[in-house]
Amino acid sequence: MNYFATVHSKGFNFRDLRTLMAKASPLRAADVLAGLAADSEVERAVAQRLLAEVPLRQFLEDPLIPPEIDEVSKLILDQHDTLAFTPIAGLTVGEFRDWLLADTSDLSTLSSGLTPEMVAAVCKIMRNQDLIAVARRCRVVTRFRNTIGLPGRLSTRLQPNHPTDDPRGIAASILDGLLYGSGDAVIGINPATDNLDNVHTLLNLLDEIINHHKIPTQSCVLTHVTTSMELMRRGAPVDLVFQSIAGTEAANRSFGVDLSMLREAKAMVESLGRGGQGNNLMYFETGQGSALSANAHHGVDAQTCEARAYAVAREFSPLLVNTVVGFIGPEYLYDGKQIIRAGLEDHFCGKLLGLPMGCDICYTNHAEADQNDMDNLLTLLGVAGCNFIMGIPGADDVMLAYQSTSFHDALYLRQVLGLRPAPEFEAWLENMGIFDGQNTLANGRITTPLLNNFKGLPGALS
């Protein structure tokens, strides 16, 4: 279907819905690199106006990537719930935007009736404040050993990465994070060396720390899903299965995975029965530009490809999903403005599709961004109801060599917005004397009696 408009005697022609979606996207480096971006702000505005007139049903009738060649497209159509879609079935993209902003009902019942392309489309015609306002109303709660995503709560992933995977260095970072109230979403390590014995050692370390101190949280070593599967066969203490995912079959294959493999991994981790509060067992990470970086985007813009990754994620009822928003680099999100916009888009799309969205609020050192940009995105996502953020010593990941958010940043956000950790973890913090019952550090500082609570921490400096 062709989309055409004339503005000031100049004609604008968009040959299909995929092209219209790309041209309507707010400016970002990835789409420019792919040759998909609008040539001017006028063309972008025209595309957004035409996109607003597209019926939501069109996305079911005109898939951007044919399901015959892409298992993610087939999954999207198979997931679609026509009954849940009924309240908005007669709306256009623009009318859907107005409906979202005006309606005050529970949006959770709508998620299964939406496709990622519908959500990506409405996102493209929304201001940042629109994305925040709607996402804030999307409450997604998940459980493993604690409860994540409840109203008034903000969780953190404690990320104790080490350039050589030294257990003593990792344990010291874990202790540091716990003493600042981080770690309720997960204690998750990106291994520097992704081999079976090394990952097994790290899993044992995390399991010993959590069990020794009865910490109501979960662990994860962010290794490839096949490594986790082999270690489960060997009896390793795997809590959450991790995998990076993308929005096309070809992009996922570039990661070495497909839907069948993920289903097998989920069944394996379910059989371990390690959770207590619930049965959300998967952890996924995504990022705008991942499909393009694998030359697997099929001419679809970066933001829409990212939204399609969320269809993959929701198939597996994960505990955690986060967009590592600025990690791929300025070739995909050039500066702080583009990173902030992308972070808000990803959180909005994920939440509207029913996912427990968090964000790694981050940038690489060669991007046109700084920590003030991250402060801005951090605060905006806190207002938007983000489920979790990262907690990294000093906000500087010394293994992955990028900048993110620190333990102190999580404290700031909790304090200024009145947010609290997951309830089970909060009770543990108070019992250990870390928090004082008022959502602040006991005595405002780390005391000798407090450190005594952690005597015998496995792997820690004595």
Side-chain angles (χ1 to χ4, degrees), residues 28 35 49 62 99 127-128 154 173 193 220 235 246 257 279 294 319 334 354 391 404 430-431:
R28 69 208 53 213
R49 192 189 78 187
D62 187 13
W99 185 88
R127 294 171 56 187
N128 286 2
L154 172 73
S173 292
T193 305
C220 186
V257 300
N279 203 35
L319 181 78
Y334 177 71
S404 185
E430 293 176 5
N431 183 59

Side-chain angles (χ1 to χ4, degrees), residues 20 50 59 61-62 76 114 152 161 164 283 299 342 381 402 416:
L20 182 67
L50 290 173
F59 294 99
E61 299 165 0
D62 187 13
I76 289 168
L114 297 171
N161 295 346
T164 64
Y283 175 15
L381 285 171
Y402 78 114
V416 298

Side-chain angles (χ1 to χ4, degrees), residues 11-90:
F12 292 88
N13 185 50
F14 308 97
R15 66 179 180 272
D16 53 28
L17 185 55
R18 180 170 54 191
T19 302
L20 182 67
M21 290 275 280
K23 299 291 187 180
S25 287
L27 178 64
R28 69 208 53 213
D31 294 338
V32 175
L33 180 64
L36 302 174
D39 294 330
S40 67
E41 288 302 321
V42 173
E43 185 181 33
R44 181 170 292 107
V46 171
Q48 289 173 342
R49 192 189 78 187
L50 290 173
L51 182 60
E53 298 169 358
V54 173
L56 291 177
R57 287 188 181 276
Q58 189 71 30
F59 294 99
L60 298 171
E61 299 165 0
D62 187 13
L64 301 189
I65 304 173
E68 297 80 11
I69 65 169
D70 184 86
E71 69 173 1
V72 176
S73 293
K74 184 178 185 304
L75 175 69
I76 289 168
L77 295 176
D78 290 345
Q79 285 178 338
H80 186 252
D81 184 335
T82 55
L83 182 62
F85 183 57
T86 300
I88 58 169

Side-chain angles (χ1 to χ4, degrees), residues 104-163:
T104 58
S105 62
D106 181 6
L107 293 176
S108 63
T109 59
L110 183 65
S111 61
S112 61
L114 297 171
T115 70
E117 291 85 354
M118 293 176 192
V119 173
V122 74
C123 177
K124 295 177 192 298
I125 63 169
M126 297 176 84
R127 294 171 56 187
N128 286 2
Q129 69 171 242
D130 299 338
L131 302 177
I132 294 168
V134 175
R136 185 174 178 83
R137 290 173 37 225
C138 300
R139 186 60 54 191
V140 183
V141 178
T142 54
R143 295 176 174 87
F144 187 76
R145 291 199 187 98
N146 58 22
T147 308
I148 299 169
L150 292 169
R153 306 280 175 170
L154 172 73
S155 294
T156 61
R157 170 189 162 190
L158 201 171
Q159 186 170 315
N161 295 346
H162 191 278

